[in-house]
C-alpha cells in the first residue's frame, strides 16, 4: 500500500514535494562517536591502573573515555557469563524446566563457585541464569550450555558466533563459565562492547541490577535466596552511584575481573578491568574521572511549525511535538563544536496514530550523531479516502493556500 501511494505521489503531485512544510523525529538515543585526545580534558587526572587492563566506554556511543592496555588479550574469568546469560535470554522460553544430567556436571574444578546442582535436580532456565549471574555458579553455566548448545563445544560455537556478530574481534570462548583455558580469552575493549550490548536486553539488565533473588531447584524443588556478588551495585557495601550491573570474575590465572555499568544524568558508561589486583576502587575512581569529562548541553528544538501536512486524512495537518527533555550531555571539549539538524518528511500518509514517530532532531559532533530526539504525532488522524490522486491534489492546494 505504501508503494502504491508513492507511485501515485510521483505521477499526481510532484510539485507538493517541493512546497510542503518540513518535519522531524526524536529519540533519546546516542550513536557511535569516536573520541580523540582533544575531546578529553587533560586537567582531570585518571586513577593509576597498576596492573592488567582497563577501559571506560560510553555504552550508547561506543566512545572510549579511558583505556589502559584495553586491546591486550587476557583471560576474563566469570565475566564470560555475560555472554552465556545473553544467549540464554535471546533463546527465549526461560520458564522451561531443565533436568540436570551427568554431562552438565562433567567438568568440575576444586574451589570453583557452584550452586550445588546434582543429577536429577529440576530447575527452570530462568533460575539457572539467576544463580549463574548472582552467585556465579559454574554448574549453572555448564547446565545452560548443554541445554542450549547440546554440548560444551556446541555452545562455545554459539558464543563465538555471537561475539563475531558483536564485533568482538579479539575474543575466543571455550567455556561457558570462564574457567581458565589457554584458548579462552578476550580484551577489556571487547568485554565493554559485550557489556554495553547486554545491558540493552531488558531481561538481562533487570536481573543484573538485583541485589538478591529467590530461585527454586532440587529434587524435590525448594526455594533458596541468592545474594548478588557484585558489591559495586548502588546500595551495596561498595556501591557506586548509578551502578546497575554487571558481573564479577576471578581465577588464579585471570586475576580480578569486573564489568560494570553506571547511569548518571542521562549518560550510560560501562567500565571493564581485567587482571587487576582488586575490583571496586578502580571502578569507582574510573567512573568519577569519566563523568567529570561530561558537560550539559541544552537542546533547542526549533521547528518551523508544529504541524505536518497529511495526505488522505480526516484533517489536512497533524499536530506534532519534539520529545526533547531539554538537556543532553557530551564530552566537555565537544560542546563548542556541535551542530543540529531537523529531519522531517514533507508530509505523512493517513492514517496516523498518536505518538507515531514523524521525524527527529539530531545533534552532531563533526559528522557524527551524538543525540537524537524523536518528533511524534500528538493525535490520531483517520484515513478517509481510497482516491489517492485526489488526496494529493487536495494536499497540494491546501499547502499552497497556507503558504500565501
Amino acid at each position: 500500500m505504501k508503494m502504491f501511494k508513492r507511485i501515485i505521489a510521483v505521477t499526481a503531485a510532484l510539485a507538493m514535494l517541493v512546497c510542503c512544510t518540513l518535519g522531524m523525529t526524536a529519540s533519546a538515543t546516542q550513536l557511535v562517536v569516536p573520541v580523540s585526545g582533544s575531546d578529553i580534558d587533560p586537567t582531570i587526572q585518571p586513577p593509576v591502573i597498576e596492573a592488567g587492563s582497563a577501559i571506560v566506554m560510553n555504552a550508547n556511543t561506543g566512545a572510549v573515555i579511558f583505556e589502559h592496555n584495553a586491546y591486550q588479550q587476557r583471560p576474563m574469568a566469570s565475566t564470560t557469563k555475560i555472554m552465556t546469560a545473553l544467549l540464554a535470554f535471546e533463546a527465549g522460553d526461560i520458564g522451561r524446566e531443565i533436568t540436570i544430567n551427568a554431562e552438565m556436571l562433567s567438568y568440575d574444578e576444586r574451589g570453583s563457585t557452584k550452586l550445588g546442582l546434582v543429577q536429577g535436580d529440576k530447575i527452570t532456565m530462568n533460575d539457572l541464569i539467576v544463580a549463574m549471574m548472582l552467585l556465579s555458579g559454574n554448574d549453572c553455566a555448564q547446565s545452560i550450555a548443554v541445554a542450549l548448545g547440546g554440548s560444551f563445544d556446541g555452545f562455545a560455537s554459539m558464543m563465538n558466533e555471537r561475539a563475531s556478530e558483536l564485533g568482538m574481534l579479539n575474543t575466543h570462548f571455550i567455556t561457558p563459565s570462564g574457567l581458565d583455558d589457554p584458548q579462552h580469552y578476550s580484551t577489556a575493549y571487547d568485554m565493554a562492547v559485550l557489556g554495553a550490548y547486554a545491558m540493552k536486553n531488558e531481561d538481562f539488565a533487570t536481573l543484573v541490577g538485583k541485589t538478591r533473588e529467590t530461585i527454586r531447584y532440587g529434587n524435590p524443588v525448594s526455594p533458596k535466596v541468592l545474594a548478588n556478588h557484585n558489591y559495586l551495585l548502588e546500595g551495596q557495601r561498595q556501591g557506586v552511584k548509578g551502578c546497575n550491573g554487571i558481573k564479577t570474575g576471578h581465577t588464579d590465572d585471570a586475576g580480578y575481573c569486573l564489568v560494570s555499568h553506571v547511569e548518571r544524568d542521562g549518560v550510560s558508561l560501562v567500565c571493564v578491568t581485567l587482571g587487576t589486583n582488586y575490583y571496586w576502587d578502580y571502578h569507582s575512581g574510573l567512573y568519577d574521572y569519566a563523568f567529570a569529562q561530561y558537560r550539559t548541553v541544552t537542546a533547542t528544538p526549533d521547528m518551523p511549525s508544529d504541524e505536518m501536512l497529511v495526505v488522505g486524512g480526516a484533517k489536512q495537518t497533524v499536530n506534532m511535538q519534539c520529545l526533547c527533555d531539554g538537556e543532553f550531555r557530551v564530552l566537555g571539549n565537544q560542546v563548542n563544536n556541535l551542530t543540529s539538524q531537523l529531519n522531517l518528511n514533507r508530509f505523512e500518509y493517513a492514517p496516523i496514530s498518536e505518538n507515531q514517530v514523524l521525524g527527529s532532531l539530531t545533534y552532531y559532533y563533526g559528522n557524527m550523531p551524538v543525540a537524537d530526539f524523536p518528533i511524534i504525532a500528538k493525535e490520531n488522524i483517520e484515513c478517509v479516502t481510497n482516491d489517492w490522486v485526489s488526496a494529493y491534489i487536495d494536499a497540494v492546494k491546501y499547502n499552497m493556500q497556507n503558504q500565501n
Side-chain angles (χ1 to χ4, degrees):
M1 191 62 170
K2 290 279 189 181
M3 181 60 70
F4 174 75
K5 293 175 184 176
R6 291 193 172 103
I7 293 172
I8 297 296
V10 173
T11 58
L14 186 60
M16 186 184 69
L17 299 180
V18 177
C19 300
C20 292
T21 307
L22 294 179
M24 53 181 201
T25 18
S27 85
T29 354
Q30 296 186 340
L31 309 169
V32 179
V33 184
V35 171
S36 67
S38 62
D39 298 326
I40 301 299
D41 186 342
T43 65
I44 305 172
Q45 293 301 307
V48 176
I49 306 299
E50 297 172 351
S53 301
I55 193 169
V56 183
M57 176 187 290
N58 186 301
N60 290 324
T61 70
V64 175
I65 314 304
F66 172 87
E67 70 91 8
H68 172 75
N69 298 330
Y71 306 95
Q72 289 183 359
Q73 292 176 349
R74 294 179 178 274
M76 60 288 202
S78 284
T79 61
T80 296
K81 292 166 180 157
I82 298 170
M83 177 63 86
T84 303
L86 178 63
L87 289 174
F89 279 126
E90 290 180 341
D93 195 17
I94 61 173
R96 69 185 174 107
E97 187 175 74
I98 308 295
T99 300
I100 303 303
N101 61 38
E103 185 178 4
M104 294 171 177
L105 305 177
S106 61
Y107 189 87
D108 190 20
E109 186 176 271
R110 180 176 296 178
S112 73
T113 305
K114 295 182 285 289
L115 178 62
L117 296 170
V118 298
Q119 288 187 55
D121 277 351
K122 297 184 183 300
I123 184 171
T124 65
M125 177 63 76
N126 179 76
D127 286 356
L128 282 173
I129 303 169
V130 172
M132 176 182 68
M133 294 303 287
L134 270 61
L135 178 70
S136 203
N138 292 332
D139 50 354
C140 299
Q142 293 169 196
S143 299
I144 292 170
V146 174
L148 290 181
S151 66
F152 294 149
D153 287 345
F155 190 71
S157 294
M158 293 171 61
M159 298 173 84
N160 288 318
E161 181 178 356
R162 198 72 178 96
S164 178
E165 292 169 353
L166 295 177
M168 300 171 65
L169 303 181
N170 288 296
T171 296
H172 189 257
F173 292 103
I174 294 291
T175 75
S177 62
L179 291 174
D180 292 325
D181 184 286
Q183 295 304 309
H184 187 86
Y185 57 81
S186 188
T187 67
Y189 176 85
D190 280 5
M191 292 306 294
V193 169
L194 174 60
Y197 184 85
M199 288 298 288
K200 291 176 173 58
N201 181 293
E202 185 176 343
D203 293 329
F204 180 96
T206 298
L207 171 59
V208 297
K210 293 182 176 181
T211 57
R212 60 186 60 246
E213 182 76 323
T214 300
I215 66 168
R216 297 178 59 83
Y217 75 101
N219 189 13
V221 172
S222 60
K224 182 174 183 177
V225 178
L226 302 179
N228 198 326
H229 286 190
N230 180 9
Y231 301 130
L232 203 72
L233 290 173
E234 185 170 5
Q236 295 274 64
R237 67 183 188 219
Q238 300 289 338
V240 165
K241 180 184 177 184
C243 184
N244 56 2
I246 306 181
K247 185 73 187 75
T248 61
H250 177 266
T251 67
D252 290 343
D253 286 351
Y256 289 93
C257 303
L258 176 60
V259 180
S260 65
H261 183 272
V262 166
E263 294 181 6
R264 293 182 198 166
D265 301 321
V267 176
S268 298
L269 300 181
V270 61
C271 179
V272 179
T273 50
L274 303 178
T276 57
N277 46 12
Y278 51 87
Y279 291 127
W280 320 117
D281 289 348
Y282 279 149
H283 282 241
S284 177
L286 285 168
Y287 281 123
D288 287 344
Y289 166 77
F291 280 109
Q293 298 286 346
Y294 280 84
R295 302 291 180 270
T296 298
V297 176
T298 300
T300 54
D302 185 18
M303 297 192 295
S305 172
D306 59 0
E307 293 182 335
M308 175 183 282
L309 193 66
V310 176
V311 175
K315 288 179 60 181
Q316 294 281 16
T317 61
V318 58
N319 291 320
M320 60 185 180
Q321 70 177 110
C322 181
L323 291 184
C324 175
D325 57 8
E327 294 180 344
F328 62 97
R329 289 171 68 79
V330 295
L331 292 170
N333 289 351
Q334 296 177 348
V335 170
N336 294 325
N337 296 289
L338 296 176
T339 58
S340 64
Q341 179 177 313
L342 193 61
N343 308 296
L344 271 177
N345 294 326
R346 299 175 185 273
F347 62 91
E348 188 54 75
Y349 302 98
I352 296 172
S353 301
E354 185 177 3
N355 296 322
Q356 179 178 327
V357 174
L358 302 176
S360 64
L361 171 66
T362 304
Y363 283 84
Y364 291 87
Y365 172 64
N367 62 357
M368 295 293 178
V370 294
D372 186 52
F373 298 97
I375 297 166
I376 64 165
K378 295 175 64 176
E379 58 185 329
N380 296 313
I381 305 290
E382 290 184 58
C383 180
V384 294
T385 185
N386 289 318
D387 183 356
W388 292 100
V389 172
S390 296
Y392 278 106
I393 293 172
D394 289 345
V396 170
K397 289 179 179 178
Y398 179 87
N399 186 66
M400 293 177 65
Q401 290 169 359
N402 284 274
Q403 284 190 352
N404 291 334

